[in-house]
Amino acid sequence: VAAVREFHLRHGVEPALRGLMAGVAEALPVARLRIFAPAELRELICGRHAEDEKVWPTRAALLADLVTDHGYTAASAPVRFLVEVLASWEALLQRRFLAFVTGSPRLPIGGLSPKLTVVRRDGMGPLPPEAYLPTCNTCFHYLKLPEYPSPESLEQKLLQAIQDGQESFDLS
């Protein structure tokens, strides 16, 4: 068992790792990376924050990463509900939301770029807006949010969308 594990972990991935290192070396000479500690490199590549640390520890931090457009303003009730709900969530839920809207559970150094844009999602049929789930475009950090009547209904639908979207990629 040990020999099989050794073979797969060392020799099985060696060609892929050599290719990765060659690609990185084309963009940045490896010798220059030696000035960074491993933790610094991890932060530069993976983003900031420990797993148990909130993405947005305050409402102000959340609002700094958020813009509105196409039917919503910062004063719109669903946007206020969104801020209220996200600010109340623990670190794990905030990370799941961030992964839902960006594809990554960590903020890059310097914050979101582009910022999270929240727009109104109009109904696609005869049902009321609260019958629909929010959708997003992860490439542009674009959240399409129906006009939910309460923070509770927004939270319920947002949690459902996050859960349903964890292992799928659909066009919206």
Side-chain angles (χ1 to χ4, degrees), residues 23-42:
V24 169
E26 283 183 26
L28 182 67
V30 176
R32 291 188 182 173
L33 294 177
R34 290 191 176 119
I35 66 170
F36 296 103
E40 293 171 321
L41 277 175
R42 184 177 56 246

Side-chain angles (χ1 to χ4, degrees), residues 53-128:
E53 199 175 321
K54 282 187 160 191
V55 175
W56 299 287
T58 65
R59 285 177 188 258
L62 174 58
L63 289 169
D65 279 337
L66 190 139
V67 295
T68 57
D69 204 354
H70 300 293
Y72 282 148
T73 67
S76 299
V79 175
R80 290 191 332 262
F81 299 159
L82 178 67
V83 170
E84 177 183 329
V85 166
L86 292 176
S88 74
W89 281 358
E90 295 300 320
L92 178 62
L93 283 177
Q94 284 191 356
R95 289 191 184 292
R96 287 185 179 161
F97 171 78
L98 184 62
F100 174 68
V101 295
T102 70
S104 173
R106 295 173 185 242
L107 284 175
I109 293 175
L112 286 178
S113 181
K115 292 183 183 239
L116 172 61
T117 302
V118 181
V119 300
R120 192 169 96 200
R121 178 180 183 200
D122 292 320
M124 297 168 36
L127 299 175

Side-chain angles (χ1 to χ4, degrees), residues 135-165:
T135 59
C136 61
N137 179 313
T138 57
C139 295
F140 300 104
H141 307 161
Y142 204 78
L143 177 66
K144 297 172 235 173
L145 191 65
E147 197 165 355
Y148 295 116
S150 69
E152 295 79 18
S153 62
L154 180 143
E155 183 172 34
Q156 176 194 11
K157 293 296 186 174
L158 189 55
L159 286 169
Q160 183 181 350
I162 291 168
Q163 180 63 38
D164 291 352

